[in-house]
Amino acid sequence: MDFLLWVRGPAFDVAVAIFLIGVVARLFEILLLGRKPLHSEPKGGEFGNGMAEIFKRSVPLPDIVKRGAVTLVGGYVFHIGLFITIFLFVPHIELINSIFGVRWPGLPNPVVDGVTVVTMVAMVVLLVHRLLQPVKRMLSGFEDYLTWVVTFLPILTGWIAYHRLVNPYPLILGIHILTVELLLIVLPFTKLMHAFTLFLSRWYNGAVYGRRGVQS
Amino acid sequence: MADSTTLGESLRRNGVSRRGFLKFCAATASMMALPPSMIPRIAEALEKARRPSVIWLSFQECTGCTESLTRSHAPTVEGLIFDSISLDYHHTLQVASGEQAEAAREAAMHENMGKYIVVVDGSIPGPGSNPGYSTIAGISNYDMLMDTVKGAAAVVSVGTCAAFGGLPKARPNPSGAVAIQDVVKDKPIVNVPGCPPIPQVITGVLAHYLVFGKLPELDSLKRPLAFYGQSIHDRCYRRPFYDKGLFAENFNDEGARKGWCLYRLGCKGPMTYNACATLKWGLGWSWPVESGHGCLGCSEPDFWDAGGFYQALSIPTSNVTRTAAAAVAAGAVIGVAAGLANKAKKSGAAKKHQTVTVDQLGKG
Amino acid sequence: MSALDNIAVRVESAGNLTRNALPLLHEIRHALARLAESGESTAIDLRSIPFGPGDEADLLAALGTGEVTAQLQALGESRITETSYPGVWVVDHYNADGQRIAFQVEVTPVPQILAAQPADVADGLQRLEAALAELAEPESRPASL
C-alpha cells in the first residue's frame, strides 16, 4: 500500500516531469535546427502535400508487403493494439482526465483485454523475428531491446493486474504504474521518441517533395 | 471467567435440542464463512469447545468497533457464542470502573495465564512518542498492551486503527500512532480491519477460535482469508457494469440511478479486500455500493491517505497538472537553449570554413 | 407507501445483469445429478453469494414451491421448503428476533435437520417413560389433582 501510494504520488510526478521536459526539449531542439532556405520557385503546395504524405506513407508498398510481411503486420497490430489499450481503457481515460481535464468513452473491458493479448503476441512475434532474421539481428542494438522491454512490461503487468494473477492487487497495480513510469522516463531519450517525431518528419518529407513538384 | 463446561453441555443445560444445536452450527458455519459441508466438523468441535477468556483493550479509537460488535449481539445464536466466551474486561461495556475494572483484568490474566485472547481496538502512541496522548487508569497504552499480551494465547486487532494504525496514524500522525502488530512481535496476531469491521467478521474470528481452538488462515496482512480473501470488486454485484463500461459519472445522473459501476466516482473496490459484498451490513440488509456510494477502502492500510475518496483509483495522488505545466515550461527553455547552442555551433563551424584549392588538397 | 418509494431510483433489472440466479441454478442441477446418480447430498450457503437487488427473488421464483413446507421452532423459527424440483430444498433459519442467521439450498432426500436426532430421541424416550411411570402410580399423586 505504501508502495502504491509512492508510485501514484512522488514517483509519478518525477516520471511525468522527466517525460515532458525530455519530449518538449527535444521537439524544440529539432524544430530550432531549421533548414537551409530554398531559393527555387515552388512547384507545388507544401502544407497539403505534407499532410497527404502522413497518410500515404501508412499504406505499405506492395514490395514491402512481400518482403517484410511479419514486420509489417506485426508492427501494425501491435501499434494499433497499444493505442487501444492505452487510450480506450476506462481507468486510463480517468487518469488522462485527471491531468488534462478531457475524457472520452472507453471500450468494454473484455474487448480491451482481448486486444491486449493480441498486442503482446504481436510484440513477442516481432521480437522472435528480430532474433531469428540475420539481417534484423545485425541491425539491432541494445537500444532496440531496451525499448522493446520497456514497452512490453507495462502491457504485461497491466494485463496481470487486470486479471489479478498476482496478489495483493495494490502490489501488482503499483508494479504496473512503476513500469509505465519507466517507459515515460526512457521514451524521450530513445527511439521511442518516434511517437512524436514520426508524423513531423513525414509531413516534412511530403512538404519538401510537394514544393519541388516531385512525386512521393 | 473461563470454566471447564463445554459448549455442548452448556447448550443442553439451557434446554437447546439437538435440532437447535444443528441450526446453531449452520449459523456458525455461515458466520465463519465456511461451506455448509463443514457443519458436521463444526458440530463435533463445538461439542467439545470450552469458553476462552477474552480481555478487550480499547486505545486510540472511536468505539465504532465496539458499536459494530454489539450490533451482532442478537439474542439466541450469536448470544450463545458470547455466552460461550468469557468477556472479562472491556472498559467501555463493563459496569465496573477504576480500581475494580483494572483488578478484573489482572485477575483474568492470572487465572488464564497463557490461554486468554486479547482483543484490541484502536492504535497506540508508539514507544517513542509522548505516552500522555492516551492513557487508561494512568497507565500508558503501550505499557498496558505489552503487560496484557504477555500471557495471551493470541491477539486479535479489531478495526483498522488496531490493525494498521488507521485514522490516528493518518498524516501528519500527531500522536505517533502505530498498529498493534508494530509493537507486538512474539504473539500470533489476527487483523480484523474495517472502519468498523463487519460485526459477523469480528464474531466469526472469535467463533473460529472457540470452535477449532486455533486462529483462522490468514493473508499477507494477517487478515482471515475466509472474509478478506477476495476483493470487493471481484464480489460486487455491479461488476458486470464495470466490464461493460457502464459507469455513473456523478451521484445524480442516469447511471447512478440505474445502479451502474461507481469506479469513476472513486470506488476503491478493486484494491479493497473485505466481505461487504457478500455479508453486507445491517444484518444483511445492504452495503455501501448497494446504497449507491463507492467503497472507501476502509479495510486497507493507510486508506485515509490513499488519495481522495471521490477520485478514481488510477488517478495520481499528487497535483500532476502543476508538475506537468512546469515540466513543459522547463522543457521548452531547455529545448530553446539547446537549439540556440546548436545554431551557435553551426555558425561557428561555418565561420571556420575555409576555401580549399585543388592544390592544397593535393599537398595534404 | 413510504417517503423512500418516492425517490426516483430505478434499479436496472439486476437479475438480468448480475445473473447470479443462473449459475446457481446450474450448480443446483449438477448437485441434483450427483444425488440421482450416487445419492451424494450437497449444501450451498446462499449468504456467501454476492446477491444484487432482486437476485434472491429471481432464484426463489425459478426454483418454485413443491410439495413439502415445514416449520421448525428451535432457537427461533426455521422454514424448510421443498422446491418444485424434488430433492432441492431451501433451508432458511431465523433467530428469535426474526433475523436471518443461515440461508442454504440443500440437495438431499430430506434435510438432516428435519429428522429426529438420536440425542433428542433418547431424551424423549426418557421423558415418555417417566410420564408413563407417573400414570402407572396414580395413588402417589395428590388427591386434589
Side-chain angles (χ1 to χ4, degrees):
Chain A
M1 190 67 192
D2 280 343
F3 171 63
L4 179 61
L5 288 182
W6 180 75
V7 294
R8 282 172 68 201
F12 190 75
D13 261 12
V14 170
V16 165
I18 293 176
F19 170 74
L20 287 174
I21 290 174
V23 168
V24 173
R26 285 201 63 184
L27 283 178
F28 265 90
E29 193 185 351
I30 292 167
L31 293 174
L32 281 177
L33 269 179
R35 289 285 162 184
K36 278 191 182 155
L38 292 171
H39 299 294
S40 63
E41 192 75 19
K43 290 178 181 142
E46 277 187 1
F47 183 79
N49 213 57
M51 295 308 282
E53 189 75 13
I54 291 177
F55 295 99
K56 266 197 274 177
R57 292 240 173 158
S58 301
V59 183
L61 298 170
D63 189 39
I64 293 178
V65 179
K66 238 184 285 164
R67 286 190 299 164
V70 176
T71 313
L72 185 82
V73 175
Y76 262 96
V77 167
F78 116 74
H79 275 93
I80 293 169
L82 208 54
F83 177 85
I84 291 173
T85 48
I86 294 174
F87 293 109
L88 296 177
F89 184 51
V90 169
H92 297 165
I93 298 171
E94 281 312 295
L95 168 68
I96 293 163
N97 180 48
S98 78
I99 303 174
F100 301 107
V102 285
R103 60 156 66 154
W104 50 83
L107 281 178
N109 291 339
V111 176
V112 178
D113 179 28
V115 169
T116 310
V117 173
V118 172
T119 308
M120 288 193 291
V121 170
M123 284 193 74
V124 169
V125 167
L126 285 174
L127 181 69
V128 171
H129 192 247
R130 187 188 281 278
L131 290 170
L132 292 183
Q133 276 275 312
V135 178
K136 264 175 121 179
R137 194 171 62 217
M138 204 200 82
L139 288 171
S140 304
F142 169 75
E143 194 183 331
D144 295 280
Y145 297 109
L146 173 75
T147 51
W148 187 91
V149 168
V150 296
T151 311
F152 191 73
L153 282 181
I155 313 176
L156 179 70
T157 54
W159 188 76
I160 291 174
Y162 173 71
H163 286 280
R164 296 164 175 275
L165 300 177
V166 170
N167 269 324
Y169 182 70
L171 174 70
I172 185 65
L173 181 65
I175 292 175
H176 172 58
I177 297 174
L178 190 68
T179 59
V180 174
E181 285 160 3
L182 188 68
L183 174 65
L184 285 177
I185 291 171
V186 168
L187 190 143
F189 311 106
T190 57
K191 295 178 173 183
L192 294 172
M193 187 66 191
H194 75 267
F196 293 92
T197 53
L198 170 73
F199 296 110
L200 203 65
S201 60
R202 273 194 193 172
W203 179 85
Y204 180 75
N205 281 336
V208 169
Y209 290 139
R211 186 192 163 95
R212 288 179 180 162
V214 183
Q215 200 196 3
S216 54
Chain B
M1 295 289 129
D3 61 32
S4 55
T5 335
T6 67
L7 185 66
E9 286 162 0
S10 104
L11 286 175
R12 270 194 294 280
R13 208 180 295 155
N14 285 320
V16 175
S17 69
R18 184 72 191 178
R19 273 207 193 93
F21 179 69
L22 285 178
K23 178 171 168 176
F24 174 67
C25 293
T28 308
S30 183
M31 191 163 74
M32 290 192 288
L34 292 174
S37 55
M38 290 290 284
I39 291 174
R41 267 194 68 194
I42 292 167
E44 197 185 316
L46 270 179
E47 279 275 16
K48 296 181 214 137
R50 286 172 203 284
R51 290 154 49 106
S53 166
V54 172
I55 296 176
W56 185 299
L57 301 174
S58 299
F59 296 134
Q60 298 189 120
E61 46 84 42
C62 67
T63 313
C65 296
T66 298
E67 284 287 336
S68 176
L69 174 75
T70 54
R71 293 305 178 273
S72 81
H73 198 283
T76 61
V77 175
E78 286 95 331
L80 285 169
I81 287 265
F82 276 87
D83 288 344
S84 318
I85 67 166
S86 174
L87 191 54
D88 291 327
Y89 175 86
H90 187 309
H91 73 213
T92 314
L93 295 181
Q94 72 194 145
V95 177
S97 62
E99 291 285 333
Q100 287 169 325
E102 298 313 310
R105 181 172 64 89
E106 304 268 336
M109 284 168 58
H110 283 296
E111 277 172 39
N112 305 291
M113 190 52 87
K115 287 183 290 186
Y116 60 88
I117 306 249
V118 175
V119 178
V120 187
D121 66 337
S123 63
I124 64 163
S129 45
N130 185 340
Y133 279 120
S134 182
T135 63
I136 296 163
I139 307 168
S140 80
N141 286 173
Y142 179 76
D143 289 344
M144 182 178 275
L145 175 71
M146 298 319 265
D147 182 47
T148 311
V149 300
K150 252 187 289 174
V155 179
V156 181
S157 295
V158 164
T160 301
C161 296
F164 305 128
L167 258 62
K169 193 182 162 230
R171 281 198 290 266
N173 189 2
S175 64
V178 296
I180 302 310
Q181 60 184 357
D182 294 336
V183 288
V184 177
K185 300 287 187 190
D186 55 348
K187 295 285 173 187
I189 290 188
V190 184
N191 285 328
V192 185
C195 194
I198 302 171
Q200 292 98 305
V201 177
I202 308 177
T203 47
V205 170
L206 295 177
H208 194 284
Y209 187 82
L210 171 74
V211 172
F212 297 113
K214 60 177 190 193
L215 296 173
E217 208 185 329
L218 307 177
D219 72 359
S220 60
L221 291 172
K222 295 186 179 167
R223 300 178 294 197
L225 273 172
F227 299 106
Y228 298 90
Q230 279 173 310
S231 73
I232 297 289
H233 190 59
D234 286 343
R235 301 296 270 166
C236 182
Y237 77 95
R238 294 195 185 198
R239 176 64 183 268
F241 294 108
Y242 175 85
D243 288 334
K244 283 188 174 181
L246 298 174
F247 296 91
E249 307 284 335
N250 69 55
F251 285 110
N252 199 29
D253 70 359
E254 197 59 23
R257 284 187 202 106
K258 283 182 171 167
W260 290 353
C261 177
L262 299 163
Y263 182 90
R264 288 190 150 178
L265 290 170
C267 181
K268 301 295 182 290
M271 55 155 259
T272 307
Y273 290 77
N274 207 337
C276 304
T278 44
L279 288 179
K280 305 189 181 183
W281 285 82
L283 299 160
W285 177 250
S286 184
W287 61 293
V289 171
E290 191 169 343
S291 65
H293 193 288
C295 165
L296 301 182
C298 76
S299 57
E300 294 297 317
D302 300 324
F303 80 98
W304 198 257
D305 292 322
F309 286 159
Y310 300 98
Q311 287 188 325
L313 185 60
S314 59
I315 289 176
T317 51
S318 54
N319 188 350
V320 176
T321 311
R322 212 178 46 203
T323 314
V328 169
V333 170
I334 294 170
V336 169
L340 292 177
N342 288 339
K343 272 220 165 105
K345 211 162 130 193
K346 217 159 82 179
S347 57
K351 264 184 212 148
K352 282 186 199 147
H353 188 90
Q354 289 170 347
T355 317
V356 184
T357 64
V358 178
D359 290 349
Q360 283 169 311
L361 274 178
K363 277 177 209 162
Chain C
M1 197 175 178
S2 78
L4 278 177
D5 297 326
N6 295 325
I7 298 172
V9 173
R10 282 167 289 114
V11 175
E12 198 162 274
S13 175
N16 287 336
L17 278 152
T18 63
R19 288 184 175 279
N20 265 317
L22 197 62
L24 268 171
L25 287 171
H26 279 290
E27 198 177 333
I28 292 167
R29 182 178 66 81
H30 284 294
L32 201 54
R34 280 199 300 274
L35 182 67
E37 283 158 22
S38 64
E40 184 194 338
S41 298
T42 311
I44 302 164
D45 183 6
L46 293 179
R47 291 218 301 181
S48 69
I49 312 289
F51 276 146
D55 274 350
E56 184 188 318
D58 281 0
L59 177 72
L60 294 181
L63 288 174
T65 315
E67 294 168 341
V68 183
T69 307
Q71 272 189 354
L72 175 74
Q73 300 293 337
L75 298 171
E77 194 179 297
S78 297
R79 288 196 285 271
I80 296 133
T81 318
E82 192 178 36
T83 68
S84 63
Y85 305 102
V88 181
W89 303 77
V90 173
V91 180
D92 205 357
H93 291 306
Y94 293 84
N95 65 13
D97 283 359
Q99 293 157 349
R100 178 181 277 166
I101 52 170
F103 185 36
Q104 304 167 349
V105 163
E106 284 194 35
V107 182
T108 179
V110 171
Q112 200 205 351
I113 202 158
L114 278 183
Q117 304 295 316
D120 293 345
V121 171
D123 184 50
L125 178 64
Q126 264 181 14
R127 279 189 292 115
L128 184 59
E129 280 168 355
L132 285 173
E134 265 184 50
L135 287 173
E137 299 163 33
E139 68 276 11
S140 68
R141 297 159 90 192
S144 60
L145 263 176

Short mmCIF file of all heavy atoms in Angstrom, two decimals, chain A residues 44-77:
data_model
loop_
_atom_site.label_atom_id
_atom_site.label_comp_id
_atom_site.label_asym_id
_atom_site.label_seq_id
_atom_site.Cartn_x
_atom_site.Cartn_y
_atom_site.Cartn_z
N GLY A 44 4.85 23.41 -56.23
CA GLY A 44 3.61 22.80 -55.73
C GLY A 44 3.40 23.24 -54.28
O GLY A 44 4.23 23.96 -53.71
N GLY A 45 2.27 22.80 -53.69
CA GLY A 45 1.95 23.20 -52.32
C GLY A 45 2.79 22.44 -51.31
O GLY A 45 3.17 21.30 -51.55
N GLU A 46 3.11 23.11 -50.18
CA GLU A 46 3.88 22.45 -49.12
C GLU A 46 2.96 21.76 -48.12
O GLU A 46 3.04 20.55 -47.90
CB GLU A 46 4.75 23.47 -48.39
CG GLU A 46 6.04 23.75 -49.10
CD GLU A 46 6.96 24.64 -48.28
OE1 GLU A 46 6.58 25.02 -47.14
OE2 GLU A 46 8.05 24.95 -48.76
N PHE A 47 2.08 22.56 -47.52
CA PHE A 47 1.30 22.06 -46.38
C PHE A 47 0.42 20.87 -46.75
O PHE A 47 0.50 19.81 -46.14
CB PHE A 47 0.44 23.20 -45.80
CG PHE A 47 -0.33 22.76 -44.59
CD1 PHE A 47 0.31 22.67 -43.36
CD2 PHE A 47 -1.66 22.41 -44.69
CE1 PHE A 47 -0.38 22.24 -42.25
CE2 PHE A 47 -2.36 21.98 -43.57
CZ PHE A 47 -1.72 21.90 -42.35
N GLY A 48 -0.37 21.03 -47.77
CA GLY A 48 -1.32 19.98 -48.17
C GLY A 48 -0.60 18.70 -48.52
O GLY A 48 -0.98 17.61 -48.10
N ASN A 49 0.48 18.82 -49.26
CA ASN A 49 1.24 17.65 -49.65
C ASN A 49 1.85 16.95 -48.45
O ASN A 49 1.90 15.72 -48.38
CB ASN A 49 2.32 18.07 -50.63
CG ASN A 49 2.59 16.98 -51.65
OD1 ASN A 49 1.66 16.56 -52.34
ND2 ASN A 49 3.81 16.51 -51.71
N GLY A 50 2.29 17.78 -47.49
CA GLY A 50 2.84 17.20 -46.24
C GLY A 50 1.80 16.38 -45.50
O GLY A 50 2.06 15.26 -45.06
N MET A 51 0.59 16.95 -45.39
CA MET A 51 -0.48 16.26 -44.68
C MET A 51 -0.83 14.96 -45.40
O MET A 51 -1.03 13.91 -44.79
CB MET A 51 -1.73 17.14 -44.57
CG MET A 51 -1.55 18.39 -43.72
SD MET A 51 -0.87 18.08 -42.09
CE MET A 51 -2.31 17.47 -41.25
N ALA A 52 -0.91 15.04 -46.73
CA ALA A 52 -1.26 13.86 -47.51
C ALA A 52 -0.21 12.77 -47.32
O ALA A 52 -0.53 11.58 -47.23
CB ALA A 52 -1.38 14.23 -48.98
N GLU A 53 1.04 13.19 -47.22
CA GLU A 53 2.14 12.24 -47.07
C GLU A 53 1.99 11.41 -45.78
O GLU A 53 2.30 10.22 -45.75
CB GLU A 53 3.47 13.00 -47.05
CG GLU A 53 4.70 12.12 -47.12
CD GLU A 53 4.93 11.55 -48.51
OE1 GLU A 53 4.29 12.03 -49.47
OE2 GLU A 53 5.74 10.62 -48.64
N ILE A 54 1.50 12.08 -44.74
CA ILE A 54 1.32 11.39 -43.46
C ILE A 54 0.46 10.15 -43.65
O ILE A 54 0.76 9.08 -43.12
CB ILE A 54 0.69 12.33 -42.41
CG1 ILE A 54 1.68 13.43 -42.03
CG2 ILE A 54 0.24 11.55 -41.18
CD1 ILE A 54 1.13 14.45 -41.06
N PHE A 55 -0.59 10.28 -44.46
CA PHE A 55 -1.48 9.15 -44.67
C PHE A 55 -0.94 8.20 -45.74
O PHE A 55 -1.04 7.00 -45.60
CB PHE A 55 -2.88 9.66 -45.05
CG PHE A 55 -3.51 10.42 -43.92
CD1 PHE A 55 -3.50 11.80 -43.88
CD2 PHE A 55 -4.07 9.73 -42.84
CE1 PHE A 55 -4.04 12.49 -42.83
CE2 PHE A 55 -4.62 10.42 -41.79
CZ PHE A 55 -4.61 11.80 -41.78
N LYS A 56 -0.37 8.79 -46.79
CA LYS A 56 0.12 7.95 -47.90
C LYS A 56 1.16 6.94 -47.41
O LYS A 56 1.17 5.80 -47.82
CB LYS A 56 0.73 8.84 -48.99
CG LYS A 56 -0.27 9.20 -50.09
CD LYS A 56 0.42 9.70 -51.33
CE LYS A 56 0.69 11.19 -51.22
NZ LYS A 56 1.41 11.73 -52.37
N ARG A 57 2.02 7.39 -46.52
CA ARG A 57 3.09 6.52 -46.07
C ARG A 57 2.58 5.40 -45.14
O ARG A 57 3.31 4.48 -44.79
CB ARG A 57 4.16 7.33 -45.33
CG ARG A 57 4.90 8.24 -46.25
CD ARG A 57 6.38 7.94 -46.27
NE ARG A 57 7.02 8.73 -47.31
CZ ARG A 57 8.31 9.03 -47.31
NH1 ARG A 57 9.07 8.62 -46.31
NH2 ARG A 57 8.82 9.72 -48.29
N SER A 58 1.33 5.55 -44.67
CA SER A 58 0.76 4.50 -43.83
C SER A 58 0.32 3.31 -44.67
O SER A 58 0.10 2.24 -44.15
CB SER A 58 -0.44 5.03 -43.03
OG SER A 58 -0.02 6.10 -42.22
N VAL A 59 0.19 3.55 -45.98
CA VAL A 59 -0.19 2.45 -46.87
C VAL A 59 1.09 1.81 -47.40
O VAL A 59 1.88 2.46 -48.07
CB VAL A 59 -1.05 2.97 -48.05
CG1 VAL A 59 -1.49 1.81 -48.92
CG2 VAL A 59 -2.25 3.73 -47.51
N PRO A 60 1.30 0.55 -47.06
CA PRO A 60 2.57 -0.07 -47.43
C PRO A 60 2.69 -0.30 -48.93
O PRO A 60 1.70 -0.55 -49.62
CB PRO A 60 2.54 -1.41 -46.68
CG PRO A 60 1.10 -1.67 -46.43
CD PRO A 60 0.43 -0.34 -46.31
N LEU A 61 3.91 -0.21 -49.44
CA LEU A 61 4.16 -0.51 -50.85
C LEU A 61 4.08 -2.02 -51.05
O LEU A 61 4.45 -2.79 -50.16
CB LEU A 61 5.56 -0.01 -51.24
CG LEU A 61 5.77 1.50 -51.10
CD1 LEU A 61 7.24 1.84 -51.29
CD2 LEU A 61 4.91 2.25 -52.12
N PRO A 62 3.59 -2.44 -52.22
CA PRO A 62 3.42 -3.88 -52.47
C PRO A 62 4.70 -4.68 -52.25
O PRO A 62 4.68 -5.78 -51.71
CB PRO A 62 3.00 -3.93 -53.95
CG PRO A 62 2.58 -2.56 -54.31
CD PRO A 62 3.19 -1.61 -53.36
N ASP A 63 5.80 -4.10 -52.63
CA ASP A 63 7.08 -4.78 -52.49
C ASP A 63 7.39 -5.06 -51.01
O ASP A 63 7.86 -6.14 -50.65
CB ASP A 63 8.17 -3.89 -53.10
CG ASP A 63 9.48 -4.66 -53.18
OD1 ASP A 63 9.42 -5.86 -53.49
OD2 ASP A 63 10.53 -4.04 -52.92
N ILE A 64 7.10 -4.08 -50.16
CA ILE A 64 7.38 -4.23 -48.72
C ILE A 64 6.48 -5.31 -48.12
O ILE A 64 6.90 -6.09 -47.28
CB ILE A 64 7.18 -2.89 -48.00
CG1 ILE A 64 8.26 -1.92 -48.48
CG2 ILE A 64 7.26 -3.07 -46.49
CD1 ILE A 64 8.17 -0.55 -47.90
N VAL A 65 5.23 -5.35 -48.61
CA VAL A 65 4.30 -6.37 -48.10
C VAL A 65 4.89 -7.75 -48.35
O VAL A 65 4.84 -8.63 -47.51
CB VAL A 65 2.93 -6.25 -48.79
CG1 VAL A 65 1.99 -7.32 -48.29
CG2 VAL A 65 2.34 -4.87 -48.57
N LYS A 66 5.50 -7.90 -49.54
CA LYS A 66 6.05 -9.20 -49.90
C LYS A 66 7.28 -9.53 -49.07
O LYS A 66 7.43 -10.63 -48.55
CB LYS A 66 6.42 -9.19 -51.40
CG LYS A 66 5.71 -10.28 -52.19
CD LYS A 66 6.17 -10.31 -53.63
CE LYS A 66 5.61 -9.16 -54.46
NZ LYS A 66 6.33 -8.95 -55.72
N ARG A 67 8.18 -8.54 -48.94
CA ARG A 67 9.46 -8.85 -48.31
C ARG A 67 9.43 -8.81 -46.79
O ARG A 67 10.19 -9.49 -46.13
CB ARG A 67 10.52 -7.87 -48.83
CG ARG A 67 10.94 -8.17 -50.26
CD ARG A 67 12.12 -7.35 -50.61
NE ARG A 67 11.80 -5.92 -50.54
CZ ARG A 67 12.72 -4.96 -50.51
NH1 ARG A 67 13.99 -5.26 -50.52
NH2 ARG A 67 12.35 -3.70 -50.47
N GLY A 68 8.55 -7.97 -46.21
CA GLY A 68 8.58 -7.84 -44.75
C GLY A 68 7.22 -8.02 -44.11
O GLY A 68 6.81 -7.22 -43.27
N ALA A 69 6.53 -9.08 -44.53
CA ALA A 69 5.15 -9.27 -44.06
C ALA A 69 5.07 -9.32 -42.54
O ALA A 69 4.21 -8.68 -41.93
CB ALA A 69 4.57 -10.53 -44.68
N VAL A 70 5.97 -10.06 -41.91
CA VAL A 70 5.91 -10.21 -40.45
C VAL A 70 6.09 -8.85 -39.77
O VAL A 70 5.31 -8.46 -38.91
CB VAL A 70 6.99 -11.20 -39.97
CG1 VAL A 70 7.01 -11.26 -38.45
CG2 VAL A 70 6.74 -12.57 -40.56
N THR A 71 7.11 -8.14 -40.18
CA THR A 71 7.38 -6.84 -39.58
C THR A 71 6.20 -5.90 -39.78
O THR A 71 5.79 -5.18 -38.86
CB THR A 71 8.64 -6.22 -40.23
OG1 THR A 71 9.65 -7.22 -40.27
CG2 THR A 71 9.12 -5.03 -39.44
N LEU A 72 5.66 -5.95 -41.01
CA LEU A 72 4.58 -5.03 -41.35
C LEU A 72 3.31 -5.34 -40.56
O LEU A 72 2.79 -4.48 -39.84
CB LEU A 72 4.29 -5.13 -42.85
CG LEU A 72 3.26 -4.13 -43.35
CD1 LEU A 72 3.94 -2.80 -43.60
CD2 LEU A 72 2.60 -4.63 -44.61
N VAL A 73 2.84 -6.57 -40.67
CA VAL A 73 1.58 -6.94 -39.99
C VAL A 73 1.76 -6.84 -38.48
O VAL A 73 0.96 -6.24 -37.76
CB VAL A 73 1.14 -8.36 -40.41
CG1 VAL A 73 -0.09 -8.77 -39.62
CG2 VAL A 73 0.84 -8.39 -41.91
N GLY A 74 2.85 -7.44 -37.98
CA GLY A 74 3.12 -7.39 -36.53
C GLY A 74 3.19 -5.96 -36.04
O GLY A 74 2.64 -5.60 -35.01
N GLY A 75 3.88 -5.13 -36.81
CA GLY A 75 4.05 -3.74 -36.42
C GLY A 75 2.71 -3.01 -36.35
O GLY A 75 2.42 -2.32 -35.37
N TYR A 76 1.89 -3.21 -37.36
CA TYR A 76 0.58 -2.56 -37.36
C TYR A 76 -0.28 -3.06 -36.21
O TYR A 76 -0.87 -2.27 -35.46
CB TYR A 76 -0.14 -2.79 -38.69
CG TYR A 76 0.01 -1.61 -39.63
CD1 TYR A 76 0.98 -1.59 -40.60
CD2 TYR A 76 -0.82 -0.51 -39.47
CE1 TYR A 76 1.14 -0.50 -41.43
CE2 TYR A 76 -0.67 0.58 -40.29
CZ TYR A 76 0.31 0.59 -41.27
OH TYR A 76 0.46 1.68 -42.07
N VAL A 77 -0.34 -4.37 -36.05
CA VAL A 77 -1.18 -4.95 -34.99
C VAL A 77 -0.78 -4.41 -33.64
O VAL A 77 -1.60 -3.95 -32.85
CB VAL A 77 -1.10 -6.50 -35.01
CG1 VAL A 77 -1.70 -7.08 -33.75
CG2 VAL A 77 -1.82 -7.04 -36.24
#
